[in-house]
Amino acid sequence: MIFGIAGSTSVIILGITIASSMSKPIKEFTNATGILASGNLNHRVQISRNDDIGILANGFNTMAESLDKEITEHKLAEESLRESEQRFKTMFNSAIDGILVADPDTKNLYLGNNAICRMLGYTLGEIMTLNVTDIHPKESLPYVLEQFEKQLRGGITAAKDIPVKRKDGSVFYADINASRITLDKKTYLMGIFRDITEKKRILKELRTLSESLE
């Protein structure tokens, strides 16, 4: 009986010791998981053992390091993207020529720069409610849409002598160079409008003068 009690006591003590040695690492793992979840990716589990717990601790730390590296790279990529977008916006809005970005499927206008707002007489908010068909004279739409489709397919990059209608109904002429551009993971057609109205007027006057001289 005495030996039995002694044996049982030893088993209990051993069980308590094992439980204690297991519960502490488990608590540390639980605590470390909470710290990582809070955003502190520099935290590591401080367990140095040669058993399965030690292997698990090493695996946990390796995972944390990999997660830290991945998130750091992701943040750097996001920062680089923001800088690129800011540079694009700066160049976009400081351009002398008018720029419009249109959805190739619906032909709705998606974006415009300051110069095109001045050319058309619309605010940016108003431009973003318009369609390609709203900024050209009705009688010119077949030709304009034909040029739009050719530019979209890559058949041509420049559409010459395109009539453009302002908000007040007046018309000016522009050469439009277009190219595809990807914004927010969607492809659009970006057109750069160069007002050639004055150039056309001068050429007309030169032709008239030439005819008079002849």
Side-chain angles (χ1 to χ4, degrees):
M1 184 179 294
I2 291 172
F3 285 124
I5 292 172
S8 298
T9 302
S10 299
V11 171
I12 292 171
I13 292 173
L14 179 61
I16 292 173
T17 301
I18 293 173
S20 176
S21 67
M22 291 292 291
S23 63
K24 185 177 179 180
I26 290 173
K27 287 180 180 179
E28 187 162 351
F29 280 127
T30 303
N31 182 52
T33 302
I35 292 174
L36 288 179
S38 69
N40 183 3
L41 301 178
N42 295 319
H43 184 75
R44 300 292 182 266
V45 174
Q46 303 300 322
I47 298 176
S48 179
R49 294 168 54 157
N50 296 322
D51 55 5
D52 290 344
I53 296 296
I55 294 173
L56 183 60
N58 289 333
F60 184 92
N61 288 336
T62 300
M63 178 198 70
E65 290 172 4
S66 177
L67 183 62
D68 186 16
K69 181 180 179 181
E70 183 177 342
I71 290 179
T72 299
E73 291 176 350
H74 183 68
K75 286 181 178 178
L76 290 174
E78 284 186 337
E79 181 63 26
S80 177
L81 180 61
R82 280 194 294 270
E83 291 177 358
S84 297
E85 288 177 346
Q86 186 58 46
R87 286 195 296 270
F88 172 78
K89 287 179 181 178
T90 300
M91 291 186 293
F92 187 78
N93 283 314
S94 61
I96 297 175
D97 293 328
I99 304 176
L100 280 176
V101 179
D103 187 318
D105 300 320
T106 63
K107 296 181 177 58
N108 291 329
L109 301 182
Y110 176 75
L111 193 61
N113 70 344
N114 294 333
I116 200 68
C117 290
R118 291 192 296 269
M119 284 181 177
L120 296 177
Y122 290 103
T123 65
L124 179 58
E126 289 173 327
I127 282 178
M128 294 173 69
T129 66
L130 301 176
N131 189 276
V132 169
T133 57
D134 295 321
I135 61 168
H136 298 283
K138 187 176 181 180
E139 63 274 12
S140 303
L141 285 179
Y143 173 70
V144 169
L145 295 178
E146 178 187 5
Q147 298 301 298
F148 183 93
E149 292 298 329
K150 285 182 177 179
Q151 289 178 320
L152 183 60
R153 294 194 301 269
I156 60 171
T157 56
K160 300 290 187 179
D161 206 16
I162 302 296
V164 184
K165 186 175 67 174
R166 298 186 181 96
K167 182 179 180 179
D168 62 8
S170 61
V171 174
F172 68 95
Y173 290 83
D175 288 343
I176 305 173
N177 286 283
S179 60
R180 289 171 174 268
I181 183 173
T182 300
L183 296 172
D184 299 326
K185 299 181 180 180
K186 180 176 173 58
T187 299
Y188 295 89
L189 190 65
M190 181 177 72
I192 300 176
F193 291 62
R194 175 156 293 182
D195 190 337
I196 61 167
T197 305
E198 183 65 14
K199 177 182 175 182
K200 281 175 65 67
R201 185 188 66 79
I202 293 173
L203 288 175
K204 183 178 179 181
E205 289 181 355
L206 287 174
R207 282 195 297 270
T208 301
L209 178 61
S210 177
E211 290 171 0
S212 298
L213 290 173
E214 288 175 0

